[in-house]
Amino acid sequence: MGGSCAQRRGAGRQVLFPLLLPLFYRALCEPIRYSIPEELAKGSVVGNLAKDLELSVLDVSARKLRVSAEKLLFNVDVESGDLLVKDRIDREQICKERRRCELQLEAVVENPLNIFHIIVNIEDINDHAPQFHKDEINLEISESVSPGMGTILDSAKDPDISMNSLSKYQLSPNEYFSLVVKDNPDGGKYPELILKKNLDRETQSAHHLVLTALDGGDPPRSSTARIRILVVDANDNPPVFSQDVYKVSIPEDVPLGTSVLRVSATDQDEGLNAEVTYSFFGVADKAQHVFSLDSATGNIITHQPLDFEEVERYIMDVEAKDRGSLSTRCKVIIEVLDENDNSPEIIITSLSDQILENSPPGTVVALFKTRDLDSRENGEVTCNLSRNIPFKIHSSSNNYYKLVTDGTLDREQTPEYNVTITATDRGKPPLSSSTTITLHIGDVNDNPPVFQQSAYLVHVPENNPPGASIAQVSASDPDLGPNGLISYSIVASDLEPRALSSYVSVNAQSGVLFAQRAFDHEHLRAFQLTLQARDQGSPALSTNVSLRVLVTDRNDNAPRVLYPALGPDGSALFDTVPRAAQPGYLVTKVVAVDADSGHNAWLSYHVLQASEPGLFSLGLRTGEVRTARALGDRDAVRHRVLVAVRDGGQPPLSATATLLLVFADSLQEALPDLSERPTPSDPQAELQFYLVVALALISILFLLAVILAIGLHLRRSSSRATGGCFGSVLCSKSGLEIPPNYREGTLPYAYNLCVPGDQTNPAFNFLTSADHCPARQDTLNKDSSSALLASILTPSVEVDKKTLKQQAPPNTDWRFSQAQRPGTSGSQNGDETGTWPNNQFDTEMLQAMILASASEAADGSSTLGGGAGTMGLSARYGPQFTLQHVPDYRQNVYIPGSNATLTNAAGKRDGKAPASSNGNKKKSGKKEKK
């Protein structure tokens, strides 16, 4: 619907009758008219506005039907749609003296927004009686006045109009006067008193009459005024005005005190009877306040400012009276000319709370009207809008306008508009006024989420903990509320759909991507995901982004040796090498692979152990085994090479491979050498065995020492004999002193020692400290350790003194020369007497080599390339170091820091003499059980 036209046809009918619409346009645009009498009671029904607008009862509240006006005298009943009287309606107060009294209203409906014009005609009722200006009229009439002379009386005023206005005057019956009713130029009536016969002052000096004014109502209303007439002596000529009607036009902006006009009257009498005074007669109070009349000169001047918008014309009666009480009257009409002294007003009649950003152009967002109290060109108004806004003004009817959209709206760019409407009249100079309204743009879901990146690439190390966060995607949506609330999900992947949930998941609110399992680079190196960001609008909008996950490698796979492979029985295969192979001859190649990638799969090959270290060379990166030199006559035919394969990871992982190489010109020649080779034992099993045995021995010795110490402590108080074992002081009778080199032990242990007193007696004797022995006897040691040893070894058992013999000197068969002593650099610690090395590191190294040699002696082979009977030590300590120089650890146990030697008692009984000191005899290869 448009403007003030109450279109009462549907949109479909407008389409069907576009050609007939101009013919009915005036009818369609006619306002709705109602007519009611004034002073109608509050709540009275003017008419059914909803029915006249073709609205249902439900539409009244749904479309918010209401009326608006400058002074709201009506309202709409939301339940019935009736237009009701809201306040007192007084036609005389609203319309003053206008013949037609019409009130203009605007009916406003929403959804869609529209406005209709309503005109309510206020009919007059006879609620006012005619009123005289004065209740008593005093007249003076000369007795010389001739019959027929008329005297104008004060007229009554009735604010009602038409038939309810003043209709007639009546004069009380008398014999001297009659009444004549005459018409004013403005349409009113005034009475004139006519003398019917001559007056005689001497007969009756005063006359009392009653003047009655009646209106034309039913029943008629009336009012009266008393007329008191005094008869005076003769004044034959009344004053006469130069004009019956004076008319003048003045602008409303004249300053105060401006002379408007001057009335003039003359009297043909002489003397005092010719003196004329002027006064307003029957003029409204408003006019008397605005204008003042000089009684002597008849000059009318402005006393208050004029306002065309308030009063356009003043009509006044001026009376001229002489001294003889004769008077005459004239009419003065003053028209006020309009000046452009009022700025236009802008009145907003309806305003939408919110405008959706997807509203099409032409959508009505506000209705307003303009008002200028000036007239003609001064009251003609044009409206304009501020620039660069997507709105325009559409004039719908006289002084009514629509504010409609004139372009696309985008809340994300401009959430609200401050629209300034300027109204300008056409006066000279023109006046203008403006008002600003704020239009809020409502959000619609017109923006899909936007990711911060067009694609995501994520690197995840393998073996990651399950549930860890691996990435986060983020999208933004400029819309508001649910339209800008984003949720994330996985919509596609190159993984199996059923397995996708077991690999990754995404938090719907934060966009954090979680790994559901530990990734394995060797099984899954990369996979692709399609993530979707979706808002909560209706309909919802979404955006997809691709995310590629690269599983980076970690060094979690050790190299795997492909060649040489183990045989079916678990033994290593062998390779043959021609005896005449020259240096650089390619013997074989170690082939290994690593499931990792990059540096973690970069393999290097190293020789861990070789029976002949200088005979073969190994390629660091290729794994190729080549001959480093030609085979010599003294070189062994069979060789064992232990190769380690390491990767480039941090830390590196490795694997080992064992190469069995046989120098032979044919396979038949190599087989006998291989058949003579005993079945190798498992070094790991042997090492475990020795560890268990060592732990058992240490535990037994510890328990024995504890028991012995407890027993000696208990018997210490009862037996204090010095120097004896088992209750008697017994010392070695040997004449040999303990060499000084043995006074400082290299192992941090304390020992309780017993030595055989007699070669024929297998029993052990305890050695005592030198502090408890006689001075003539040989001392074992004179340092502080001897005292500690003697305090612990207090005798507690009686033993035959004859069983104690002198201790045999230590066996020196295995003492080495300076060049033969083992050590880290060839010339080892110690003196020329061949004592046990003083360096604890060398001691432990030698003990470890003895243990390894024993293991090799058990399996009959040496992995270090040593010859028979060398126990594999010659390769480390030189070819001169042979098994002959190693003591039989199964026969004797040497205790560092002492010259005592624990000797197998059974051997002594068998009469076996100690080995000679030349060191050239081989030790027995047979193992004896201890």
Side-chain angles (χ1 to χ4, degrees):
M1 301 180 183
S4 62
C5 299
Q7 296 182 2
R8 304 178 185 160
R9 299 296 184 268
R13 297 180 183 179
Q14 292 180 5
V15 174
L16 294 175
F17 305 107
L19 299 177
L20 298 178
L21 185 61
L23 300 177
F24 298 94
Y25 180 78
R26 305 190 75 182
L28 292 175
C29 294
E30 283 292 327
I32 300 174
R33 293 183 176 272
Y34 297 101
S35 181
I36 60 171
E38 65 174 328
E39 302 294 343
L40 200 61
K42 295 181 181 179
S44 300
V45 178
V46 177
N48 194 321
L49 181 61
K51 182 179 179 181
D52 295 335
L53 295 177
E54 296 185 355
L55 299 176
S56 64
V57 177
L58 296 177
D59 291 338
V60 174
S61 59
R63 298 188 63 182
K64 299 180 181 179
L65 176 62
R66 59 188 184 275
V67 293
S68 64
E70 294 180 16
K71 183 176 182 182
L72 195 59
L73 301 175
F74 304 91
N75 60 0
V76 178
D77 188 356
V78 296
E79 295 181 358
S80 62
D82 292 332
L83 183 64
L84 305 179
V85 176
K86 182 181 178 182
D87 202 353
R88 176 174 177 267
I89 300 175
D90 187 356
R91 191 200 66 82
E92 288 74 21
Q93 182 180 2
I94 296 173
C95 299
K96 300 293 187 291
E97 298 177 358
R98 295 199 298 270
R99 306 291 296 177
R100 295 185 60 182
C101 184
E102 293 179 346
L103 298 181
Q104 294 187 356
L105 310 175
E106 291 83 39
V108 181
V109 294
E110 297 181 1
N111 300 322
L113 187 64
N114 211 335
I115 186 171
F116 304 89
H117 293 286
I118 302 172
I119 296 177
V120 180
N121 183 30
I122 308 301
E123 297 177 353
D124 183 56
I125 62 174
N126 192 21
D127 57 341
H128 293 86
Q131 294 292 332
F132 287 96
H133 183 65
K134 296 179 181 180
D135 293 335
E136 184 175 359
I137 303 174
N138 295 314
L139 299 177
E140 293 180 356
I141 301 176
S142 175
E143 62 182 352
S144 62
V145 174
S146 302
M149 189 204 71
T151 301
I152 299 175
L153 303 177
D154 290 340
S155 61
K157 302 293 183 182
D158 193 338
D160 294 329
I161 62 172
S162 188
M163 296 183 62
N164 298 323
S165 64
L166 181 64
S167 175
K168 59 184 179 178
Y169 294 91
Q170 292 180 354
L171 187 65
S172 60
N174 65 90
E175 61 179 332
Y176 290 98
F177 298 94
S178 64
L179 189 65
V180 177
V181 178
K182 294 184 178 180
D183 295 326
N184 283 324
D186 59 351
K189 299 179 181 294
Y190 65 93
E192 186 174 358
L193 189 64
I194 303 298
L195 183 62
K196 291 193 295 183
K197 66 179 184 178
N198 292 328
L199 298 176
D200 187 2
R201 177 181 174 278
E202 288 73 17
T203 303
Q204 187 176 354
S205 62
H207 299 270
H208 296 278
L209 306 175
V210 175
L211 178 63
T212 304
L214 296 93
D215 60 20
D218 187 16
R221 290 176 177 266
S222 62
S223 64
T224 60
R226 298 185 301 274
I227 302 175
R228 182 172 178 269
I229 303 173
L230 295 178
V231 180
V232 296
D233 286 337
N235 181 19
D236 299 339
N237 298 294
V240 178
F241 281 99
S242 60
Q243 296 177 207
D244 293 335
V245 177
Y246 291 88
K247 188 174 182 180
V248 67
S249 297
I250 59 174
E252 60 177 332
D253 59 349
V254 295
L256 299 180
T258 302
S259 176
V260 178
L261 62 86
R262 182 176 182 179
V263 296
S264 177
T266 58
D267 193 327
Q268 294 180 358
D269 294 329
E270 294 181 354
L272 294 176
N273 294 330
E275 295 181 1
V276 178
T277 60
Y278 302 94
S279 63
F280 288 120
F281 184 82
V283 178
D285 294 339
K286 176 67 175 175
Q288 289 185 6
H289 291 145
V290 174
F291 300 98
S292 62
L293 176 62
D294 190 335
S295 61
T297 61
N299 191 22
I300 299 175
I301 60 177
T302 58
H303 186 66
Q304 287 184 354
L306 302 179
D307 190 353
F308 172 83
E309 290 73 32
E310 185 176 352
V311 179
E312 299 180 7
R313 183 174 59 176
Y314 293 91
I315 299 177
M316 299 173 291
D317 291 332
V318 177
E319 182 182 52
K321 183 183 291 186
D322 58 16
R323 294 288 184 177
S325 300
L326 295 180
S327 64
T328 185
R329 296 173 185 171
C330 70
K331 188 74 66 176
V332 176
I333 300 175
I334 302 174
E335 292 185 352
V336 180
L337 300 178
D338 181 45
E339 296 292 331
N340 192 24
D341 58 345
N342 292 280
S343 299
E345 297 180 46
I346 300 174
I347 303 171
I348 305 297
T349 59
S350 182
L351 179 64
S352 297
D353 295 336
Q354 197 176 63
I355 310 165
L356 294 180
E357 59 179 328
N358 62 346
S359 299
T363 301
V364 178
V365 298
L367 295 175
F368 65 95
K369 66 178 180 179
T370 60
R371 180 180 61 187
D372 195 326
L373 299 179
D374 297 325
S375 62
R376 294 186 295 275
E377 291 184 353
N378 297 330
E380 296 180 4
V381 178
T382 58
C383 294
N384 297 298
L385 291 178
S386 51
R387 296 181 180 179
N388 300 324
I389 57 173
F391 299 97
K392 66 178 181 179
I393 295 176
H394 176 69
S395 178
S396 58
S397 62
N398 185 24
N399 294 333
Y400 279 85
Y401 301 90
K402 290 181 180 179
L403 182 64
V404 299
T405 58
D406 189 33
T408 57
L409 305 176
D410 190 351
R411 188 207 63 80
E412 289 71 35
Q413 292 185 0
T414 309
E416 65 180 18
Y417 290 91
N418 293 322
V419 179
T420 301
I421 304 173
T422 303
T424 307
D425 59 26
R426 298 179 61 186
K428 294 182 179 179
L431 300 179
S432 64
S433 64
S434 62
T435 184
T436 300
I437 58 176
T438 301
L439 301 177
H440 299 279
I441 308 302
D443 184 56
V444 297
N445 193 24
D446 57 345
N447 291 281
V450 178
F451 283 96
Q452 292 182 353
Q453 301 180 22
S454 59
Y456 290 84
L457 180 63
V458 179
H459 296 269
V460 181
E462 64 174 333
N463 303 325
N464 57 290
S469 170
I470 61 175
Q472 182 176 13
V473 297
S474 179
S476 59
D477 194 326
D479 294 326
L480 292 180
N483 298 333
L485 187 62
I486 300 175
S487 61
Y488 302 90
S489 61
I490 302 175
V491 296
S493 173
D494 55 3
L495 300 173
E496 289 292 335
R498 291 178 295 180
L500 175 61
S501 60
S502 65
Y503 278 89
V504 290
S505 66
V506 65
N507 187 289
Q509 285 74 34
S510 63
V512 177
L513 197 67
F514 295 96
Q516 299 298 315
R517 61 164 61 176
F519 298 144
D520 189 355
H521 173 78
E522 288 71 38
H523 292 83
L524 180 65
R525 300 200 172 190
F527 57 91
Q528 188 93 7
L529 299 176
T530 300
L531 299 177
Q532 184 181 83
R534 186 182 185 89
D535 59 29
Q536 306 300 318
S538 179
L541 300 179
S542 62
T543 302
N544 295 342
V545 70
S546 64
L547 184 143
R548 183 170 180 81
V549 179
L550 300 180
V551 181
T552 58
D553 183 50
R554 282 183 174 176
N555 193 25
D556 59 343
N557 291 277
R560 185 167 60 92
V561 178
L562 300 180
Y563 183 83
L566 297 178
D569 56 352
S571 61
L573 301 179
F574 68 93
D575 289 300
T576 61
V577 184
R579 295 180 180 272
Q582 296 299 318
Y585 176 79
L586 178 60
V587 178
T588 184
K589 182 176 182 179
V590 180
V591 180
V593 294
D594 195 321
D596 296 324
S597 62
H599 281 81
N600 297 330
W602 195 12
L603 302 181
S604 61
Y605 300 84
H606 309 272
V607 176
L608 288 183
Q609 194 177 36
S611 57
E612 188 65 40
L615 186 56
F616 300 99
S617 63
L618 179 64
L620 180 62
R621 298 300 178 188
T622 62
E624 295 179 349
V625 179
R626 298 180 181 270
T627 57
R629 60 179 175 82
L631 180 66
D633 295 338
R634 300 181 61 183
D635 292 332
V637 176
R638 292 181 291 107
H639 295 274
R640 182 173 178 266
V641 179
L642 183 61
V643 177
V645 183
R646 296 192 187 97
D647 57 26
Q650 291 297 330
L653 301 178
S654 63
T656 59
T658 302
L659 299 177
L660 299 179
L661 305 178
V662 179
F663 280 89
D665 292 331
S666 63
L667 182 61
Q668 291 75 11
E669 183 181 354
L671 288 177
D673 293 335
L674 294 174
S675 61
E676 295 175 0
R677 183 176 180 272
T679 302
S681 61
D682 187 3
Q684 187 70 21
E686 291 183 359
L687 181 59
Q688 293 178 356
F689 171 75
Y690 285 115
L691 289 176
V692 171
V693 172
L695 290 174
L697 290 176
I698 292 172
S699 301
I700 293 172
L701 291 175
F702 176 73
L703 291 175
L704 289 175
V706 171
I707 293 172
L708 185 58
I710 294 174
L712 294 176
H713 182 71
L714 292 176
R715 300 185 70 88
R716 182 181 301 171
S717 60
S718 61
S719 179
R720 289 292 183 178
T722 60
C725 291
F726 303 101
S728 61
V729 180
L730 298 177
C731 295
S732 175
K733 299 299 183 178
S734 174
L736 297 175
E737 293 280 344
I738 297 176
N741 296 342
Y742 289 88
R743 292 181 181 179
E744 296 180 0
T746 59
L747 299 179
Y749 302 100
Y751 297 89
N752 294 331
L753 304 179
C754 288
V755 298
D758 194 329
Q759 296 294 335
T760 60
N761 189 354
F764 288 96
N765 297 327
F766 288 97
L767 293 179
T768 60
S769 173
D771 296 338
H772 301 283
C773 294
R776 66 181 179 273
Q777 294 179 350
D778 297 334
T779 59
L780 180 65
N781 202 341
K782 295 182 180 180
D783 55 7
S784 61
S785 62
S786 299
L788 179 61
L789 182 63
S791 66
I792 297 175
L793 301 179
T794 302
S796 61
V797 181
E798 292 293 337
V799 181
D800 189 1
K801 297 180 180 181
K802 295 180 180 181
T803 59
L804 292 175
K805 302 295 180 180
Q806 292 183 356
Q807 181 184 0
N811 193 345
T812 59
D813 292 345
W814 50 279
R815 294 182 182 176
F816 311 137
S817 64
Q818 179 68 22
Q820 293 174 334
R821 291 173 189 166
T824 57
S825 61
S827 61
Q828 306 299 331
N829 300 328
D831 55 11
E832 294 296 335
T833 60
T835 61
W836 193 272
N838 291 331
N839 188 297
Q840 183 179 354
F841 175 76
D842 294 339
T843 302
E844 294 173 355
M845 290 291 293
L846 183 55
Q847 290 174 347
M849 295 305 300
I850 292 173
L851 185 61
S853 300
S855 175
E856 293 178 5
D859 60 12
S861 63
S862 175
T863 59
L864 297 176
T870 64
M871 294 181 61
L873 299 175
S874 62
R876 179 173 178 85
Y877 299 103
Q880 72 276 16
F881 187 83
T882 63
L883 194 58
Q884 303 173 16
H885 306 99
V886 179
D888 189 353
Y889 60 89
R890 297 169 295 176
Q891 299 294 333
N892 301 317
V893 177
Y894 169 75
I895 304 302
S898 173
N899 60 356
T901 303
L902 294 184
T903 308
N904 191 326
K908 296 297 181 179
R909 287 195 304 269
D910 294 341
K912 294 181 181 180
S916 60
S917 60
N918 55 12
N920 295 327
K921 294 182 181 180
K922 291 187 177 180
K923 297 293 181 179
S924 173
K926 297 180 181 180
K927 298 180 181 178
E928 297 181 5
K929 297 182 179 178
K930 294 183 182 180

